[in-house]
Amino acid sequence: MPNHIANIDNFLAPYSDVINSRTQRAIDKEHKLSDRSLYDFANGYQFYGLHQVDDGWIMREWAPFASAIFLIGEFSSWEEREEFRFSRTDNGNFELRVEGEKLQHKAIYKLKIHWENGSGERIPVWATRVVQDDDTKLFSAQVWQPSHDFVWKNDKQRKKVEVPLIYEAHIGMATEKEGVGTYQEFTAEILPRVKKAGYNTIQLMAIQEHPYYGSFGYHVSSLFAPSSRFGTPDELKELIDTAHGMGLAVIMDLVHSHAVKNELEGIGLFDGSPYQFFHDNERREHAAWDSLCFNYSKHEVLHLLLSNVKYWLEEFHFDGYRFDGVTSMIYLDHGLERSFNEYKLYFDGGQDEDALTYLLLANKLIKECNANAMSIAEEMSAYPGLATPIEQGGIGFDYRLAMGTPDYWIKLIKDKTDEEWAVGNIFYELSNKRAEEKTISYAESHDQALVGDQTIIFRLVGADIYWAMSKKDKSLAIDRGIALHKLIRLLTFCCAGDGYLNFMGNEFGHPEWIDFPREGNEWSYKYARRQWSLVDNPELRFEQLDAFDKAMIALQQNEDFISQPHIECLEANDGDHVLALKRKDLVFVFNLHPTASYTFYGVSAPAGKYNVVFNSDEKAFGGFDRIDESIDYYTRPEAQMSNRHRVHLYLPSRTAIVLKYTPPKRMF
């Protein structure tokens, strides 16, 4: 097959048999899972869990090591009663039918499960609503059956996102109050901001229920329950439907790489067995994450996880996923303390073949649910073929995150002086991507803002961010920081592989770090929020960074340059710190020199006319208005009768200009 990844990348040729075997393994597994389609196989949430039927309720759970199960709750005075005893059916399944009015909407319940030599209260694996008691802090399942089904109003406005411009957000910390934000507040206050900012996709973190708020949503306890600390399931649906009405796609972080160890809230010891869903050996626990690792070889685990993939797409109308922790999933050692500097490390037997099979099937299922849905892999090892179509030997993700880019920027800022920034190396690092795989680029990660680390703007300006961000203040540190913050973002944006991502607040240089309430900070929410008042204050320079970000996003919307994958380097002069790039019919010219401005600087460019369509030095962006955007720039040949041309520009220090190219008119 000419499009097979082993034919596209000759270095993969020696491993083509392994690549093909992984594809075939997934095909064989799909056939073994069910005689039905993969789409029909992933209907577990329609069978298991609690469901209302004509004469009452029916509930089912898979608990092969359980000897008895009772439904307990307010309706049973939290006691075991025979009328609420489950019947064992087949293959480890248990079933209970409850007559008419004995269960009511919003009723609180749990399961009391008995096993050999033990018993315990548990939350159902397939629970779709879990709530926490304000006083005891204990979690319970809750009946969620409103009298009226949610009505979707804006489904017809959903469409495929060709170039994802992703606004990554966390519901709880999206408001300015020192507390937990809600789905309703996000709908009313944040969605309009995202729409106005020009992004076309929202990525929501921490949606799946998690007992510890400070885990950032990555220690999931209930796979099918939207976090109740933010509101109700219907309020989440209203958020998504409203976003669709604004023309925004909504994707969510999906955590299938591990699960929380908590026994009362999670599924780690659901039926008394530690390996019902997880490994039964040293692979059970993820030492670095203090969590449990799924056993992807088990039929029931695939049924659980694939049903979860379908559930959020079908029941909540999400438009896709960002899969968390993919590196951890696909390597037996979770990719820890390994440097992936040679191809054999992807095919040396250290891979979890069952996890790769699951990921391939999950991506196939996503497209069966919604052909326009997107899947993004958070993966650090650069596993080849991860974001390549399945039929070409890949795993089938639509995109992979360019995770090395944020690390590169932080390392550059920390380890190099401004004079040592090499523009040629910057271009290499930002554009070094596998041609056959689509990537989402981003300048900084939310992880880099967690307590103990710093955002880009904080590293650039330090404590001056507290006292020198007024437009009336004079601060060289702030001038430098704002200029570099803009250049770093525009460089990342113009070199973006196939999409761009920003974490909420970073677009305007949100100060300080992220720190969720915990014992170490006396359970404070001070750093688990977003200070929108800073960007809304016209007296502060945060507004200028925000205006720059809006204009940068608008540039893509107007010119659609990211859809052109080829990026041509026209100039990379490390001595002058000048970098010029061409993408589609736009030329991006950066002068990263900290002090030198250049007049009549010749940049190699195709013959024709150029006009400035964007420049970082606008006063509205915190610049100094040194660039005249009204000038028409015409190229000149480098020498008489030369085919090489240059356009001559004024390049102030620490600025960037974007020029639109108009080819010369043909003379007949």
Side-chain angles (χ1 to χ4, degrees):
M1 182 187 296
N3 291 329
H4 193 277
I5 56 173
N7 295 324
I8 296 172
D9 183 348
N10 291 332
F11 289 106
L12 288 173
Y15 309 105
S16 59
D17 287 346
V18 179
I19 294 169
N20 292 334
S21 71
R22 288 175 177 170
T23 304
Q24 188 60 47
R25 199 171 190 275
I27 294 171
D28 294 342
K29 175 62 76 172
E30 181 180 0
H31 292 155
K32 290 179 181 177
L33 290 177
S34 172
D35 54 3
R36 301 170 294 166
S37 67
L38 191 63
Y39 181 83
D40 290 333
F41 171 75
N43 281 336
Y45 64 93
Q46 297 176 7
F47 179 80
Y48 291 108
L50 179 66
H51 301 279
Q52 193 171 36
V53 293
D54 291 340
D55 58 347
W57 304 82
I58 188 167
M59 188 175 188
R60 302 185 187 92
E61 286 288 331
W62 177 67
F65 288 89
S67 56
I69 301 179
F70 293 87
L71 180 67
I72 61 174
E74 298 164 335
F75 44 83
S76 70
S77 301
W78 295 100
E79 298 174 350
E80 296 178 16
R81 295 183 181 177
E82 283 301 312
E83 63 178 310
F84 297 116
R85 178 194 285 269
F86 282 70
S87 299
R88 191 177 190 116
T89 57
D90 58 353
N91 300 319
N93 289 319
F94 285 77
E95 181 177 294
L96 171 68
R97 290 184 178 270
V98 180
E99 296 178 359
E101 304 298 320
K102 293 183 179 179
L103 286 180
Q104 299 287 335
H105 175 54
K106 294 189 177 181
I108 301 299
Y109 68 94
K110 290 183 180 180
L111 301 179
K112 183 63 178 294
I113 301 182
H114 293 258
W115 54 83
E116 185 177 354
N117 300 321
S119 65
E121 293 184 359
R122 296 290 186 265
I123 293 173
V125 173
W126 299 80
T128 57
R129 171 76 170 164
V130 176
V131 295
Q132 185 178 28
D133 185 274
D134 291 335
D135 297 322
T136 67
K137 304 304 179 185
L138 296 176
F139 286 83
S140 302
Q142 184 181 49
V143 177
W144 190 258
Q145 193 67 47
S147 57
H148 300 287
D149 291 337
F150 182 83
V151 178
W152 297 91
K153 308 178 190 69
N154 299 308
D155 269 359
K156 291 184 179 179
Q157 298 191 50
R158 299 172 70 185
K159 58 184 179 180
K160 183 177 182 179
V161 177
E162 299 296 342
V163 176
L165 304 174
I166 302 172
Y167 196 87
E168 184 183 21
H170 182 284
I171 300 291
M173 61 175 288
T175 59
E176 187 151 0
K177 67 182 181 183
E178 292 192 26
V180 179
T182 67
Y183 297 126
Q184 289 184 321
E185 289 170 328
F186 193 94
T187 302
E189 301 171 19
I190 310 304
L191 286 184
R193 289 184 182 273
V194 178
K195 177 65 176 177
K196 187 176 180 181
Y199 292 86
N200 58 28
T201 304
I202 297 175
Q203 177 181 310
L204 294 180
M205 304 175 65
I207 294 299
Q208 294 170 293
E209 191 59 87
H210 47 289
Y212 180 45
Y213 189 46
S215 74
F216 224 161
Y218 292 123
H219 275 191
V220 169
S221 53
S222 296
L223 290 162
F224 295 86
S227 181
S228 61
R229 57 173 56 86
F230 308 138
T232 70
D234 285 19
E235 288 165 354
L236 174 57
K237 291 178 181 179
E238 182 66 32
L239 185 163
I240 295 168
D241 194 44
T242 303
H244 288 157
M246 294 179 172
L248 300 170
V250 186
I251 64 176
M252 66 174 273
D253 275 7
L254 191 69
V255 185
H256 285 179
S257 49
H258 62 138
V260 73
K261 291 171 69 173
N262 300 33
E263 294 177 4
L264 295 179
E265 298 91 355
I267 62 175
L269 203 66
F270 178 71
D271 66 352
S273 163
Y275 46 84
Q276 181 182 3
F277 297 104
F278 306 98
H279 289 285
D280 59 353
N281 51 28
E282 69 280 355
R283 294 183 59 198
R284 183 174 188 267
E285 294 193 18
H286 195 304
W289 292 352
D290 192 32
S291 55
L292 303 178
C293 300
F294 287 106
N295 183 348
Y296 303 102
S297 70
K298 298 185 74 168
H299 176 103
E300 295 82 4
V301 171
L302 292 181
H303 191 219
L304 176 74
L305 298 181
L306 290 172
S307 295
N308 195 235
V309 168
K310 182 178 178 181
Y311 170 77
W312 294 104
L313 295 176
E314 302 258 314
E315 296 296 314
F316 286 85
H317 294 207
F318 276 101
D319 300 292
Y321 300 111
R322 172 231 192 229
F323 278 71
D324 175 69
V326 173
T327 305
S328 176
M329 295 173 71
I330 63 180
Y331 296 101
L332 298 177
D333 63 359
H334 307 299
L336 299 173
E337 299 180 4
R338 292 175 63 178
S339 177
F340 292 91
N341 53 9
E342 50 184 328
Y343 273 42
K344 70 178 182 181
L345 296 175
Y346 305 117
F347 309 99
D348 61 359
Q351 295 71 42
D352 186 337
E353 299 294 341
D354 296 310
L356 287 167
T357 293
Y358 164 67
L359 290 170
L360 192 149
L361 293 177
N363 280 303
K364 186 174 185 292
L365 174 62
I366 289 170
K367 296 305 182 187
E368 291 183 7
C369 293
N370 180 0
N372 292 332
M374 72 177 82
S375 63
I376 304 169
E378 188 229 19
E379 206 281 319
M380 299 180 63
S381 77
Y383 177 91
L386 194 69
T388 303
I390 296 167
E391 58 271 18
Q392 295 179 20
I395 305 301
F397 283 98
D398 294 300
Y399 304 93
R400 68 186 310 149
L401 289 175
M403 297 187 68
T405 300
D407 293 338
Y408 173 75
W409 281 124
I410 290 296
K411 184 174 177 60
L412 191 64
I413 294 168
K414 288 171 60 177
D415 297 347
K416 302 285 187 182
T417 66
D418 295 2
E419 290 80 8
E420 294 175 315
W421 288 24
V423 294
N425 182 257
I426 290 173
F427 173 66
Y428 172 79
E429 291 290 342
L430 298 185
S431 62
N432 182 27
K433 305 174 180 73
R434 299 185 67 87
E436 72 277 14
E437 298 192 54
K438 291 185 176 182
T439 58
I440 303 292
S441 298
Y442 55 127
E444 56 188 319
S445 164
H446 62 248
D447 289 333
Q448 291 170 328
L450 292 173
V451 65
D453 211 334
Q454 297 177 5
T455 60
I456 286 178
I457 192 67
F458 219 30
R459 286 194 178 278
L460 289 172
V461 305
D464 280 24
I465 202 167
Y466 293 118
W467 62 268
M469 284 295 282
S470 168
K471 293 177 182 177
K472 297 177 182 178
D473 291 328
K474 303 296 182 184
S475 166
L476 292 177
I478 293 295
D479 287 343
R480 169 188 177 267
I482 285 180
L484 289 179
H485 192 271
K486 292 184 293 184
L487 294 180
I488 286 169
R489 290 182 174 276
L490 186 59
L491 275 162
T492 305
F493 194 60
C494 80
C495 292
D498 304 274
Y500 180 76
L501 178 144
N502 169 75
F503 181 71
M504 65 175 185
N506 286 351
E507 70 275 11
F508 66 84
H510 196 282
E512 300 172 329
W513 50 87
I514 297 170
D515 187 14
F516 285 89
R518 54 188 173 85
E519 187 175 3
N521 64 16
E522 298 182 346
W523 304 103
S524 170
Y525 287 88
K526 181 178 180 181
Y527 299 109
R529 60 193 180 111
R530 295 286 90 176
Q531 298 180 61
W532 302 107
S533 59
L534 296 175
V535 68
D536 292 341
N537 188 340
E539 302 298 319
L540 300 180
R541 301 188 71 175
F542 298 103
E543 180 195 50
Q544 296 170 333
L545 287 174
D546 186 61
F548 174 84
D549 195 81
K550 285 184 171 71
M552 185 179 76
I553 297 296
L555 182 68
Q556 160 58 21
Q557 292 180 330
N558 295 333
E559 304 295 340
D560 191 28
F561 62 90
I562 293 179
S563 62
Q564 166 58 262
H566 179 64
I567 308 172
E568 183 180 358
C569 184
L570 303 176
E571 200 84 34
N573 190 317
D574 284 338
D576 293 340
H577 292 70
V578 171
L579 177 67
L581 310 172
K582 184 176 185 296
R583 192 164 188 180
K584 202 176 179 182
D585 55 358
L586 296 182
V587 173
F588 298 78
V589 185
F590 299 86
N591 177 11
L592 273 69
H593 201 288
T595 57
S597 297
Y598 304 107
T599 57
F600 207 66
Y601 193 97
V603 173
S604 179
K609 184 179 79 168
Y610 292 84
N611 297 97
V612 177
V613 293
F614 181 77
N615 95 80
S616 68
D617 201 44
E618 283 190 37
K619 191 172 183 180
F621 305 155
F624 298 95
D625 267 342
R626 291 168 289 178
I627 295 170
D628 186 350
E629 295 189 2
S630 66
I631 298 175
D632 293 335
Y633 295 92
Y634 292 90
T635 56
R636 302 183 181 194
E638 289 189 354
Q640 192 172 8
M641 302 301 291
S642 172
N643 289 325
R644 292 176 56 86
H645 287 70
R646 287 187 175 272
V647 59
H648 293 82
L649 308 166
Y650 172 49
L651 304 178
S653 61
R654 288 196 181 120
T655 61
I657 60 174
V658 183
L659 304 125
K660 187 166 184 177
Y661 167 61
T662 303
K665 294 181 179 180
R666 290 182 176 272
M667 301 296 292
F668 296 99

